[in-house]
Amino acid sequence: MARVAHPRLFVQNNPQRPALIMADTGQILSYGQLVERSDRGAQLLTTLGLQEGDTIAIFLENHICYPELCWAAKNAGITYACIPSRSTVEEVAYIVDNCDAKLLISSIALRDTAVKVAQHLAQQCQYLMVDGEVGAFANYEVLLQACEPRPLKGRRRGPSMLYSSGTTGKPKGIRSPLPDAPPEEPPPRLAMLEKMYQLSDQTVFINPGPFYHAAPGRFMICLHRLGGTVISFKRFDPEACLAAIDEYQATHGLFVPTMFTRILCLDSKVKEKYRHDSLRCVAHLGAPCPIPIKEQMIQWWGPILGETYAGTEAVGHTYISSPEWLEHKGSVGRPAGNCELRIVDDSSGEEMPAGEPGLIYMRNGKRFEYHKDSDKTKDAFIEGGWATLGDIGYLDEDGYLYLTDRKADMIVSGGVNVYPREAENVLHRHPLIADVAVVGVPDEELGEVVKAVVEIEGDNTLPNDFEADVIAFCRQYLAPQKCPRSVDIVEELPRNEAGKLLKRLVRDRYWQDRASRLV
């Protein structure tokens, strides 16, 4: 018999149980409100003429209404595409058009962008506005209250449609087919996350990331299936996050490495103000965590950090606990659940031995498609159902995976392949460097050469020979061809809301006048 896990299960005995608390505004969404409003929302979608299998687009900041919109779509058998809240007019319009959305939902806070999107798309879809109404956007709350709070019958579970961050071009929409299952039946990831991170109805989960992103959004939905409480924020603030852990006695959390870095940079007196001994398990993912940062976090919070390597495509994942990581520093773990993993040479297709890098392929029986891009979908798969996310890595003798780089970020210098992440991992240890991106820049002789672009730690005064010192520091650990030949200093490296380094924007600064690029 299929498992039932849905917010509806927790309403009868405790409708006031908090499903979501916005710690910085004090807003609380109870399970009773979540169920009632998401059922009204599913009815509203049908009133607007949407049918099972259609798509809506959600362009919203971290908002108390976000989960009810996702659950309304799930309950109605409708796919929901989540759009990053800092997107430009062109980016929002592209995603709405690309995913064939029949409805765009936005908010008053994002009205400047949303109104221009509606003017651009005109009658292509319908428009709803949270917290008010403006232009073509009708008032969501008024229409919602006109609908009955009763579940739709006979609908399949509506899936999310998330877009890659677009670091190498236009974002790719990852579309999954409607499952042959009702909204009350959870996807397999629920049991995986439940076991991996010890989640339950007693979980109080600090979730400071953007809801539109795969991990924060999916963890939130999973917690609502289990009856836990999610604590979130309009935007991440390191001290506010520590204060919320203390105030709400958080048991779990989800972070990306840049959040760890910002928390560690707080003054020691600030960090000492707040307790964190309620934490039992903290997940981190989204980007590789520099070894020194993770060492400091484990020393401070204890061996409770669990790391996952996965992708929005959800074709597999690895996991590593803190004790394992301390024995295999830098690893992102071994395949977990029903995932299989192999390392393949990109040119020959041969499987690589331990210690040798190649393209990482995973499989767990699931397939996906990049919406309206059959070539990219085809390129992601090889025979046997194996799929790659475009990452390069290697396995050690114990089967632990280490990420080397992304295929698209590889530098080809004089015919030699250079993986920037190797130098980045080293330079993160430099005492004067707060953040770093290693990229290939044009060179007349070699095609491209290695450059480090760095942020400086705090208000440090730099020595006159800083560039030479950085290069020499890197050469202590890596062969010369893997190390930067030059170093540039910037005030801030470009990262998206989820903390992912937008390396394309770093590279563009150096390649913008070139007709072609080698990467």
Side-chain angles (χ1 to χ4, degrees):
M1 184 177 178
R3 180 182 182 183
V4 174
H6 193 279
R8 246 189 285 283
L9 298 177
F10 309 101
V11 172
Q12 186 172 358
N13 294 329
N14 190 3
Q16 296 306 312
R17 178 199 296 252
L20 173 64
I21 299 174
M22 299 299 293
D24 45 3
T25 67
Q27 294 171 293
I28 299 176
L29 177 71
S30 70
Y31 271 89
Q33 292 169 321
L34 175 60
V35 171
E36 177 190 336
R37 292 175 66 86
S38 60
D39 281 340
R40 288 184 189 271
Q43 296 287 349
L44 174 56
L45 294 176
T46 62
T47 299
L48 295 174
L50 278 83
Q51 301 177 0
E52 185 181 65
D54 285 341
T55 301
I56 65 170
I58 301 174
F59 175 50
L60 208 62
E61 72 276 18
N62 275 15
H63 194 288
I64 198 72
C65 286
Y66 211 112
E68 75 189 46
L69 296 172
C70 298
W71 278 107
K74 285 190 176 300
N75 292 340
I78 288 172
T79 295
Y80 56 101
C82 301
I83 303 176
S85 56
R86 292 183 182 177
S87 299
T88 65
V89 173
E90 293 75 16
E91 290 167 337
V92 177
Y94 169 80
I95 291 177
V96 174
D97 177 67
N98 181 262
C99 74
D100 303 311
K102 295 191 175 180
L103 171 68
L104 171 63
I105 305 172
S106 192
S107 70
I108 283 293
L110 301 180
R111 61 184 177 276
D112 290 346
T113 300
V115 167
K116 292 176 182 177
V117 170
Q119 291 170 346
H120 176 76
L121 296 175
Q123 303 301 312
Q124 187 168 329
C125 67
Q126 300 180 73
Y127 305 95
L128 289 180
M129 182 71 71
V130 172
D131 297 330
E133 56 186 287
V134 61
F137 287 84
N139 191 305
Y140 165 75
E141 191 67 34
V142 170
L143 296 177
L144 185 76
Q145 293 306 317
C147 297
E148 294 185 41
R150 55 182 175 84
L152 290 174
K153 301 295 184 181
R155 294 297 180 99
R156 288 175 287 173
R157 183 179 70 236
S160 60
M161 180 180 179
L162 305 179
Y163 277 74
S164 68
S165 55
T167 54
T168 57
K170 289 287 187 183
K172 301 184 290 290
I174 296 130
R175 183 179 284 278
S176 300
L178 277 181
D180 189 20
E184 293 77 15
E185 182 181 324
R189 85 167 56 90
L190 178 67
M192 176 193 78
L193 294 177
E194 188 178 12
K195 179 180 179 181
M196 190 180 295
Y197 293 108
Q198 306 145 47
L199 305 176
S200 73
D201 60 348
Q202 299 301 305
T203 297
V204 180
F205 193 87
I206 294 287
N207 193 24
F211 294 162
Y212 72 78
H213 197 263
R218 285 173 173 167
F219 265 92
M220 179 165 63
I221 294 297
C222 285
L223 259 294
H224 290 161
R225 288 192 181 275
L226 296 172
T229 296
V230 177
I231 312 294
S232 196
F233 313 82
K234 287 285 188 181
R235 59 185 59 84
F236 172 73
D237 176 87
E239 184 174 357
C241 193
L242 291 182
I245 292 171
D246 187 349
E247 178 180 356
Y248 297 102
Q249 289 294 283
T251 61
H252 293 69
L254 174 67
F255 297 84
V256 295
T258 52
M259 293 176 181
F260 287 157
T261 301
R262 290 183 61 189
I263 291 172
L264 288 168
C265 285
L266 290 170
D267 187 272
S268 59
K269 292 182 179 179
V270 174
K271 289 185 281 191
E272 291 167 3
K273 285 169 57 178
Y274 307 105
R275 297 186 62 177
H276 59 269
D277 53 351
S278 60
L279 288 172
R280 298 202 306 269
C281 187
V282 171
H284 74 92
L285 37 69
C289 188
I291 289 175
I293 298 299
K294 189 160 180 175
E295 287 174 332
Q296 291 177 67
M297 289 304 301
I298 293 174
Q299 183 178 11
W300 181 23
W301 283 0
I304 62 171
L305 273 63
E307 182 172 2
T308 297
Y309 165 69
T312 306
E313 292 84 347
V315 289
H317 68 283
T318 66
Y319 175 78
I320 190 167
S321 66
S322 289
E324 288 178 292
W325 186 86
L326 290 169
E327 296 294 325
H328 300 268
K329 290 186 178 182
S331 173
V332 294
R334 292 188 288 189
N338 65 338
C339 173
E340 299 175 89
L341 189 152
R342 61 190 298 205
I343 308 297
V344 175
D345 182 84
D346 190 29
S347 56
S348 69
E350 297 295 320
E351 191 159 351
M352 303 298 289
E356 293 294 324
L359 268 178
I360 302 166
Y361 279 87
M362 298 184 290
R363 69 177 178 186
N364 60 4
K366 181 178 178 180
R367 293 190 68 90
F368 68 91
E369 67 176 47
Y370 292 120
H371 190 52
K372 297 181 179 177
D373 199 329
S374 57
D375 288 341
K376 284 183 179 176
T377 303
K378 182 180 178 182
D379 288 344
F381 285 90
I382 58 175
E383 187 177 354
W386 296 91
T388 183
L389 307 178
D391 291 322
I392 295 170
Y394 66 91
L395 296 171
D396 68 13
E397 295 289 349
D398 297 320
Y400 284 87
L401 176 66
Y402 295 75
L403 301 180
T404 307
D405 233 302
R406 286 195 60 78
K407 180 181 176 182
D409 291 339
M410 187 174 69
I411 300 167
V412 183
S413 183
V416 176
N417 293 344
V418 177
Y419 301 117
R421 191 165 289 155
E422 290 185 275
E424 289 167 353
N425 288 340
V426 169
L427 294 178
H428 270 294
R429 305 179 204 167
H430 193 288
L432 297 179
I433 293 177
D435 201 1
V436 58
V438 172
V439 296
V441 298
D443 182 81
E444 293 300 326
E445 180 183 357
L446 299 175
E448 57 181 336
V449 292
V450 182
K451 176 183 284 289
V453 183
V454 305
E455 289 180 34
I456 301 305
E457 183 70 55
D459 298 321
N460 284 296
T461 300
L462 299 182
N464 293 330
D465 60 348
F466 174 70
E467 181 178 51
D469 177 70
V470 169
I471 294 171
F473 181 87
C474 195
R475 290 190 176 191
Q476 292 180 62
Y477 303 95
L478 296 175
Q481 67 268 23
K482 297 181 178 182
C483 298
R485 292 193 174 195
S486 59
V487 180
D488 284 355
I489 300 170
V490 296
E491 185 173 332
E492 185 177 19
L493 287 168
R495 291 184 178 273
N496 65 16
E497 287 179 274
K500 182 176 289 186
L501 178 66
L502 301 178
K503 194 168 283 188
R504 173 177 57 85
L505 299 183
V506 180
R507 285 194 299 254
D508 283 350
R509 172 181 171 187
Y510 302 99
W511 291 89
Q512 57 186 353
D513 297 326
R514 295 287 179 123
S516 63
R517 292 169 57 160
L518 299 178
V519 292

